[in-house]
Amino acid sequence: MEIGIIGSGNIGSILAGHLTESGHKVLIANSRGPETLTVIASKTGADPVRVEAAAGAKDLVIIAIPAKAMVNLPTDILSASEAIIVDAGNYYPSRDGQITEIANGAADSEWTAKIIGHPVIKAFNNIVAQSLAEKAVPAGSSNRIALSVAGNDEAQKKVVVKLIDGIGFDAIDGGLLSESWRQQPGEPAYCQDLDKDQLEAALQEADISKRAENLAAADETARPYL
């Protein structure tokens, strides 16, 4: 596939390496311009491009940026895209500011979909960068980490599940996009390196009445690193 990655931080750059190794054509971009991506390009094999080019990737676009930067995306390109768009980010209020829709109960990726004017799939957000970089293993391995894939389009979710399998991780269906809060910061499924059965259980363990409390605790823990 032709895959665009918007965001060259840890998750975006690690995914670029995995996906090029899997045989995909990867276009990677950040807000600072392709001239700042030469090292990442040489390490991963991805093509450094401007954000508009990554947003226009033919088959799939991965957005791996802080929520506060979503408003700067080329929404004209994204809203008209025929590609699958994946939101790989996580909302942290201390970094991103208070977002009313999320505070009022929307999952962060529901807000993302509204901002860019295009449906999204939520994936790649419930794994820490080090695990994503170092713990990919072949299918059938007993120690394979699972990722949760949430969204409203079943066919698109299946494409993302297959993509995840191809880079060395299991994947499970995390339900509708409205349920993607279950894989967000502070919840039992977030960044725990779980296998498929454990991840399924963790998603179900999430208690919506504790969602705000869990996010606040996760935000406080992450604050020094954001």
Side-chain angles (χ1 to χ4, degrees):
M1 293 193 292
E2 181 180 86
I3 300 174
I5 299 177
I6 301 174
S8 60
N10 288 332
I11 296 298
S13 58
I14 292 165
L15 283 174
H18 282 319
L19 292 169
T20 54
E21 189 175 338
S22 294
H24 302 289
K25 177 179 176 59
V26 178
L27 313 175
I28 190 166
N30 63 20
S31 61
R32 300 182 301 280
E35 62 276 5
T36 68
L37 294 168
T38 53
V39 173
I40 290 174
S42 65
K43 286 183 177 180
T44 66
D47 295 331
V49 298
R50 298 199 176 279
V51 171
E52 291 79 5
K58 182 178 67 173
D59 299 305
L60 190 137
V61 178
I62 299 171
I63 302 174
I65 61 176
K68 66 180 180 181
M70 292 288 180
V71 296
N72 299 321
L73 291 173
T75 54
D76 55 336
I77 298 173
L78 292 169
S79 63
S81 175
E82 296 183 2
I84 299 169
I85 298 183
V86 176
D87 178 15
N90 288 299
Y91 168 59
Y92 283 100
S94 63
R95 177 191 64 192
D96 301 315
Q98 289 294 327
I99 297 175
T100 301
E101 291 94 330
I102 298 175
N104 288 341
D108 56 19
S109 289
E110 289 184 297
W111 176 80
T112 296
K114 179 180 176 182
I115 291 297
I116 68 172
H118 192 287
V120 302
I121 302 297
K122 184 72 165 184
F124 301 114
N125 74 300
N126 72 308
I127 183 171
V128 297
Q130 185 174 0
S131 295
L132 184 63
E134 300 176 358
K135 296 186 178 181
V137 294
S141 300
S142 60
N143 59 335
R144 215 174 197 219
I145 295 169
L147 306 183
S148 180
V149 179
N152 299 337
D153 188 306
E154 296 301 319
Q156 290 189 356
K157 284 196 286 188
K158 287 179 181 178
V159 171
V160 177
V161 165
K162 184 177 180 180
L163 193 74
I164 291 170
D165 179 65
I167 66 171
F169 300 90
D170 283 334
I172 65 170
D173 189 331
L176 297 174
L177 196 65
S178 60
E179 293 294 306
S180 62
W181 63 270
R182 296 176 182 273
Q183 63 193 67
Q184 291 176 183
E187 300 302 333
Y190 185 69
C191 295
Q192 297 296 319
D193 287 0
L194 307 175
D195 64 24
K196 292 174 76 170
D197 291 340
Q198 292 168 333
L199 183 56
E200 287 274 14
L203 290 172
Q204 295 308 310
E205 184 185 341
D207 182 347
I208 197 166
S209 70
K210 297 180 180 179
R211 180 179 162 193
E213 174 187 342
N214 290 344
L215 175 58
D219 190 49
E220 188 60 33
T221 299
R223 187 185 298 266
Y225 308 102
L226 296 173

